[in-house]
Structure formats: structure tokens, C-alpha cells
Amino acid sequence: MGDKISAKDMEKWIKLVDEIYTKITEANMYGKELLVNNGKSRGIENFFLRQEIKKSIETKEAKTKKAKTQESKKEEA
């Protein structure tokens, strides 16, 4: 065999890397949801993350405001 790597070993390695990537992506999404639900972007040192969270909070607030406006219009009718 020597220094050859089998295709089976490579497939296993790629599968493991894909699983790790998936878990990291899920963890990032969960963390961002926590930050958005907190409703504050202060204290986040990373500029790009802070901007992304701030934008997501503003979007969430706009959707909430729009939903409340639609509910009040339905109640008036």
C-alpha cells in the first residue's frame, strides 16, 4: 500500500468535514437568532457581525410593526 490513500478513506474524511461544516453553520444560525431575540447589537465587538445583527433586528421590528398594523386594521373592520 505505501503512501496511497484509498477512495473509501477519502469519502469518509469528506463526509466528516461536511458534517462539521453543517454543525458549525447550525451553531452560527442559532447564535445569531439568540442575538436578534436579545434585541441589542451593543457589545458585539465584530463590526460585520454587529451590522448583520442590527439589520436583522430592524427587519424583525419592521415585520412585527407591520403585523400589528394589519391586526388593528382587521379589528377596526
Side-chain angles (χ1 to χ4, degrees):
M1 286 210 150
D3 60 354
K4 292 184 181 179
I5 300 173
S6 70
K8 184 177 178 182
D9 289 339
M10 287 299 294
E11 288 175 13
K12 181 178 179 181
W13 176 60
I14 291 170
K15 182 181 175 189
L16 290 170
V17 170
D18 286 343
E19 289 173 4
I20 292 168
Y21 176 79
T22 301
K23 290 291 184 183
I24 290 172
T25 302
E26 289 173 3
N28 282 338
M29 289 172 41
Y30 181 73
K32 287 177 185 178
E33 287 176 21
L34 289 175
L35 292 170
V36 170
N37 289 337
N38 183 36
K40 299 175 186 172
S41 61
R42 278 186 145 179
I44 301 173
E45 292 183 19
N46 183 296
F47 174 78
F48 297 106
L49 178 61
R50 184 173 59 249
Q51 292 299 102
E52 185 176 341
I53 297 304
K54 186 176 179 180
K55 185 177 178 181
S56 296
I57 291 169
E58 291 170 354
T59 302
K60 180 182 173 187
E61 289 173 351
K63 287 180 182 178
T64 303
K65 186 176 180 180
K66 186 177 179 180
K68 286 182 181 180
T69 304
Q70 289 176 346
E71 277 184 28
S72 64
K73 286 182 180 180
K74 287 181 182 178
E75 290 175 1
E76 291 175 1

